[in-house]
């Protein structure tokens, strides 16, 4: 897992991993059940009650239509339903992370963290999000954490902040697909088309700094939105990259400095430094590690 500064970001990255640790075995279970139901239906004339006695003899999940779920519904239809559940959870993880970051760190220093969700910036035709000095007001920047940690985490994670705007265009495209699914009967609207037009020119491995572009189907206004399971799996990497890049950028903030100070153990409140600079660097490095930082 990536090295990140804020524990909330670490938790969000873990939640993405945990989500897939649940979804992948669940999908395998679906595919296995399909094979079993198909085999049983080929071998003899069998009813839904017969299947229930074989698959769920303890009747732990009542009301399942096994024939419909594992025979009449196609694998593609099943995967698409899994895709929507997965996509909704990925947005929940990201949005919860943004809210928790504000509550836990940035509210204390009077910095409105809501813009990290990029809703206002991404509603405009030209998608532009500026971080660093423009993102953090000058009075909210900490020279301490900027000098001590920023380059360390940046070099460790090897993420390219210059790609963030492109990642955000991908984020907006998938978010508008999700909005159509939740609020527009899965029918593509103008907002989705605009998000697609902004994203499609940068939907390349180079522009996103990614080994595989999330698979997607070009939407048509008024038509059903189609979602690919492989596309959602690829989109999770977009979310992961955004979390790491933004976490790294926020190391420059006074909120990061406050978080650092709050994690200094009482016995280390005062540290006597060696007179030799080489030993001082090792001393401070060890001290940082003991506090949970790189």
């Amino acid at each position: 897992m990536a090295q990140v500064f804020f524990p909330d970001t670490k938790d969000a990255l873990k939640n993405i991993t945990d989500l897939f640790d649940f979804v992948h075995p669940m999908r395998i279970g679906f595919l296995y059940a399909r094979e079993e139901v198909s085999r049983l239906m080929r071998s003899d004339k069998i009813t839904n009650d017969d299947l229930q006695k074989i698959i769920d003899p303890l009747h732990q999940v009542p009301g399942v239509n096994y024939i419909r779920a594992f025979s009449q519904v196609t694998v593609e239809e099943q995967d698409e339903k899994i895709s929507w559940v997965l996509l909704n959870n990925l947005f929940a993880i990201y949005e919860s992370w943004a809210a928790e970051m504000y509550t836990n760190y940035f509210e204390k220093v009077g910095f409105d963290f809501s813009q990290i969700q990029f809703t206002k910036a991404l509603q405009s035709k030209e998608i532009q999000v500026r971080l660093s000095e423009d993102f953090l007001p000058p009075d909210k920047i900490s020279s301490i954490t900027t000098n001590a940690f920023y380059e360390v985490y940046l070099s460790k994670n090897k993420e390219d902040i210059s790609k963030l705007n492109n990642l955000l265009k991908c984020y907006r495209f998938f978010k508008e697909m999700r909005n159509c699914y939740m609020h527009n009967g899965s029918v593509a609207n103008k907002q989705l088309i605009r998000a697609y037009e902004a994203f499609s020119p940068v939907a390349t491995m180079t522009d996103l700094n990614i080994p595989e572009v999330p698979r997607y189907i070009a939407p048509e206004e008024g038509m059903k939105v189609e979602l690919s399971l492989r596309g959602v799996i690829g989109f999770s990497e977009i979310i992961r990259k955004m979390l790491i890049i933004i976490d790294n950028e926020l190391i420059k903030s006074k909120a990061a400095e406050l978080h650092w100070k709050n994690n200094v153990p009482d016995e280390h409140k005062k540290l006597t430094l060696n007179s030799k600079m080489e030993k001082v660097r090792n001393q401070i490095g060890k001290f940082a590690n003991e506090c949970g930082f790189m």
Side-chain angles (χ1 to χ4, degrees):
M1 186 178 287
Q3 292 278 3
V4 289
F5 189 84
F6 293 95
D8 302 69
T9 311
K10 184 177 181 179
D11 289 344
L13 292 169
K14 181 179 182 299
N15 287 340
I16 292 174
T17 301
D18 290 347
L19 178 61
F20 281 99
D21 284 346
F22 170 76
V23 168
H24 286 318
M26 179 184 71
R27 182 168 181 262
I28 292 295
F30 270 127
L31 295 174
Y32 176 77
R34 292 183 69 90
E35 285 296 315
E36 283 298 294
V37 169
S38 178
R39 180 182 63 81
L40 291 166
M41 290 181 70
R42 283 196 305 267
S43 63
D44 198 0
K45 195 170 184 179
I46 196 165
T47 67
N48 197 72
D49 288 340
D50 295 331
L51 289 171
Q52 184 270 317
K53 290 173 185 175
I54 296 168
I55 297 173
D56 184 18
L58 298 179
H59 206 52
Q60 294 178 326
V61 185
V64 177
N65 188 329
Y66 293 96
I67 294 175
R68 184 180 67 182
F70 300 118
S71 177
Q72 296 172 354
V73 175
T74 66
V75 173
E76 291 75 20
E77 290 171 330
Q78 179 181 285
D79 279 353
E80 187 175 22
K81 291 181 185 297
I82 294 173
S83 300
W84 287 116
V85 172
L86 188 55
L87 189 64
N88 271 316
N89 276 274
L90 286 171
F91 283 118
I93 289 171
Y94 181 82
E95 290 168 0
S96 294
W97 164 79
E100 288 170 5
M101 287 283 282
Y102 173 71
T103 300
N104 293 339
Y105 310 105
F106 291 87
E107 188 175 23
K108 298 172 186 175
V109 296
F111 177 49
D112 183 4
F113 194 74
S114 62
Q115 63 181 296
I116 205 67
Q117 296 187 54
F118 306 112
T119 49
K120 291 180 181 178
L122 288 165
Q123 284 170 356
S124 62
K125 188 173 181 181
E126 294 297 324
I127 299 178
Q128 295 180 344
V129 176
R130 299 186 304 274
L131 294 182
S132 301
E133 293 78 11
D134 292 332
F135 179 70
L136 291 166
D139 64 330
K140 305 301 179 186
I141 293 175
S142 164
S143 60
I144 293 175
T145 50
T146 298
N147 295 333
F149 295 112
Y150 180 72
E151 291 295 337
V152 177
Y153 282 81
L154 190 66
S155 61
K156 177 72 175 179
N157 291 319
K158 297 181 174 61
E159 293 294 352
D160 186 355
I161 191 173
S162 71
K163 306 296 185 185
L164 182 59
N165 276 313
N166 295 337
L167 297 174
L168 288 165
K169 291 175 184 180
C170 181
Y171 174 90
R172 191 75 237 163
F173 173 58
F174 276 84
K175 183 67 180 286
E176 291 297 348
M177 280 201 291
R178 178 260 181 196
N179 289 345
C180 288
Y181 173 74
M182 294 293 291
H183 309 299
N184 202 44
S186 295
V187 175
N189 57 18
K190 284 184 172 61
Q191 288 91 332
L192 175 58
I193 302 303
R194 284 199 294 268
Y196 167 73
E197 290 171 348
F199 167 58
S200 55
V202 299
T204 69
M205 292 186 292
T206 300
D207 288 324
L208 297 173
N209 190 30
I210 204 166
E212 180 181 339
V213 177
R215 187 174 296 171
Y216 64 92
I217 298 96
E220 294 183 46
E221 188 175 352
M223 302 297 289
K224 181 179 180 291
V225 177
E226 297 181 66
L227 189 64
S228 156
L229 179 57
R230 188 169 183 85
V232 178
I233 293 170
F235 177 66
S236 71
E237 177 65 9
I238 299 293
I239 294 284
R240 191 191 74 85
K241 282 178 169 289
M242 286 172 55
L243 289 169
I244 295 169
I245 290 171
I246 297 167
D247 180 276
N248 198 87
E249 204 63 25
L250 293 175
I251 288 174
K252 296 178 178 181
S253 67
K254 286 188 176 178
E257 180 182 334
L258 186 60
H259 171 57
W260 153 256
K261 290 177 177 177
N262 287 341
N263 281 273
V264 177
D266 289 338
E267 62 269 24
H268 292 330
K269 292 291 185 184
K270 290 185 179 180
L271 184 65
T272 303
L273 299 178
N274 196 284
S275 59
K276 296 181 179 179
M277 182 54 66
E278 182 181 347
K279 292 187 176 180
V280 167
R281 292 184 184 280
N282 292 333
Q283 203 174 358
I284 292 175
K286 181 182 177 183
F287 170 63
N289 280 317
E290 289 175 354
C291 296
F293 300 90
M294 286 202 294

